[in-house]
Amino acid sequence: MAAAYGAMKPAKLGLEEPQEQQHRIRITLSSKNVKNLEKVCADLIRGAKDKRLTVKGPVRMPTKVLRITTRKSPCGEGTNTWDTFELRIHKRVIDLVSSSEVVKQITSITIEPGVEVEVTIAEP
Amino acid sequence: MGQKINPLGFRLGTTQRHHSFWFAQPKNYSVGLQEDEKIRNCIKNYVQKNKRISSGFEGIARIGIKKRIDLIQVIIHIGFPNLLIEGQTRGIEELQMNVQKEFHSVNRRLNIAITRVEKPYGQPNILAEYIALQLKNRVSFRKAMKKAIELAEQTDTKGIQVQIAGRIDGKEIARVEWIREGRVPLQTICAKIDHCSYTIRTIYGVLGIKIWIFVDEE
């Protein structure tokens, strides 16, 4: 029964939808600086909306602050002053529902230096 | 010296940009850093090896590196680009080959561009190399400093400060000498201050040159 049911579904889907399967695709953007990141985000969302895909808007993950705290002094003498250096990592997540080819098109257009783009396909 | 913070690092958020502009996850960050270091050393060694004797010194003001997924873009800001362009762009290609040999990475293309800096004597790196040359030729240090300041003044800077530290004139007792022209407000964050620290190796030891140039105030 399950097999029959399973066998029926792809046939139906094949008739209704185009050949490529729609996947849920998650694009993760990370960067050190916010301006470029927001620009790439906006470009991606605009590109996706132009192709009429369902887009779950940019979800802003909490910024990770990596801190390194060191003594300022090269020797041990003096009042104990400390330097804290930080690196802020901003992360945005965009969810789309589309076929993988369209996604490749969209992501190939907008690549800016300093922004890392990761695309994962969630198997339904 | 203990008290003064590097003016470039102090202003990173506001008036100063990073020279290397890329992102990597913390796991792969060290690999990226080492690549950067290799590129910079390669370029400096190449320019130093191939400089013509007549022109004298290299004049690299800045090396900017931008990395994308498939492309590494290197922009060399150079003051006297004759050295690399005279060879009919053979120089740039040779550089590119050299740097790519260091790399062993097939994934990323390398792109080297050369920009000419207008007013090369307004860049502290180039000024420092000029002073270094003079000192190597046994010119009196005060003359060298004054000449450097003169050159910088010709290029509209609002202030410049030059400091030389170490065994000046080969004397046994090391000291620090500095000259300042105009105003150099190190505490003002919105003041654009360019800084360079350069070492020279002489037969007496190492001399350190530091140059602060006050360019603009926003």
Side-chain angles (χ1 to χ4, degrees):
Chain A
M1 173 114 164
Y5 192 71
M8 274 180 59
K9 256 209 151 170
K12 251 195 179 173
L13 280 176
L15 282 176
E16 289 178 1
E17 290 180 4
Q19 298 259 322
E20 303 118 23
Q21 268 197 330
Q22 302 274 10
H23 297 286
R24 279 201 215 142
I25 297 180
R26 173 162 288 186
I27 305 181
T28 315
L29 304 163
S30 13
S31 167
K32 269 190 298 197
N33 85 330
V34 198
K35 251 177 37 172
N36 282 20
L37 187 61
E38 289 291 335
K39 181 162 181 282
V40 174
C41 245
D43 281 346
L44 275 180
I45 293 183
R46 205 179 344 115
K49 285 212 172 132
D50 284 343
K51 316 223 167 164
R52 312 282 169 73
L53 307 165
T54 44
V55 182
K56 300 283 168 85
V59 181
R60 298 182 170 87
M61 295 290 160
T63 28
K64 295 200 185 142
V65 182
L66 312 174
R67 268 185 248 263
I68 295 190
T69 314
T70 37
R71 280 290 301 274
K72 273 189 189 175
S73 158
C75 55
E77 197 265 339
T79 32
N80 300 336
T81 45
W82 295 79
D83 259 331
T84 73
F85 298 102
E86 9 178 90
L87 181 73
R88 296 190 178 178
I89 301 187
H90 306 264
K91 194 163 148 189
R92 309 267 184 271
V93 173
I94 302 180
D95 271 343
L96 308 169
V97 184
S98 92
S99 55
S100 36
E101 290 186 6
V102 182
V103 170
K104 278 190 194 142
Q105 268 183 24
I106 303 180
T107 47
S108 64
I109 300 178
T110 62
I111 306 182
E112 271 206 32
V115 180
E116 181 179 305
V117 182
E118 269 183 20
V119 181
T120 54
I121 304 183
E123 296 299 324
Chain B
M1 291 263 273
Q3 320 103 355
K4 291 183 194 30
I5 189 178
N6 188 333
L8 298 175
F10 193 39
R11 294 165 172 76
L12 266 182
T14 55
T15 43
Q16 182 73 25
R17 299 275 179 89
H18 289 267
H19 290 189
S20 294
F21 195 70
W22 44 270
F23 179 76
Q25 295 288 346
K27 255 192 294 183
N28 316 330
Y29 207 84
S30 51
V31 177
L33 264 185
Q34 284 168 5
E35 279 180 2
D36 264 16
E37 182 73 14
K38 272 191 214 166
I39 296 180
R40 293 211 159 95
N41 286 349
C42 212
I43 294 181
K44 285 190 188 146
N45 291 347
Y46 180 83
V47 176
Q48 210 167 32
K49 256 199 296 181
N50 299 2
K51 65 182 181 187
R52 310 279 175 84
I53 313 174
S54 56
S55 40
F57 62 106
E58 315 157 20
I60 298 183
R62 203 165 66 153
I63 299 179
I65 299 183
K66 293 196 177 174
K67 293 192 194 165
R68 302 180 187 184
I69 308 179
D70 53 346
L71 170 70
I72 300 183
Q73 199 175 15
V74 180
I75 302 182
I76 308 180
H77 296 240
I78 204 169
F80 304 95
N82 316 323
L83 307 162
L84 290 176
I85 297 193
E86 241 178 68
Q88 290 169 355
T89 67
R90 238 186 297 142
I92 307 182
E93 281 164 20
E94 250 192 82
L95 235 192
Q96 219 161 329
M97 296 288 297
N98 278 3
V99 179
Q100 207 142 24
K101 261 189 245 172
E102 297 273 322
F103 259 117
H104 322 288
S105 74
V106 201
N107 312 339
R108 301 169 137 186
R109 299 178 285 138
L110 186 67
N111 193 3
I112 300 189
I114 297 192
T115 336
R116 184 200 191 114
V117 176
E118 353 106 0
K119 308 179 186 173
Y121 288 115
Q123 302 288 331
N125 291 45
I126 301 181
L127 262 186
E129 281 166 15
Y130 175 79
I131 298 183
L133 246 196
Q134 302 274 23
L135 289 178
K136 276 201 180 140
N137 298 342
R138 315 277 176 89
V139 173
S140 132
F141 73 96
R142 210 172 275 283
K143 254 196 201 170
M145 286 206 287
K146 282 202 179 147
K147 208 154 182 226
I149 293 187
E150 250 177 73
L151 283 171
E153 295 267 283
Q154 284 170 3
T155 69
D156 325 313
T157 55
K158 292 200 188 153
I160 176 172
Q161 179 173 337
V162 180
Q163 172 184 303
I164 301 188
R167 291 183 66 177
I168 298 180
D169 281 342
K171 298 275 169 67
E172 250 188 43
I173 301 194
R175 59 189 204 274
V176 177
E177 292 276 345
W178 58 270
I179 305 184
R180 172 165 58 209
E181 286 282 331
R183 61 184 203 110
V184 185
L186 289 174
Q187 310 281 33
T188 315
I189 300 187
C190 62
K192 271 196 194 164
I193 295 195
D194 237 340
H195 173 75
C196 161
S197 118
Y198 194 74
T199 50
I200 323 170
R201 313 176 74 179
T202 60
I203 48 173
Y204 298 109
V206 170
L207 288 178
I209 303 182
K210 286 191 184 174
I211 301 187
W212 291 259
I213 298 188
F214 175 36
V215 175
D216 208 359
E217 179 148 35
E218 287 187 31

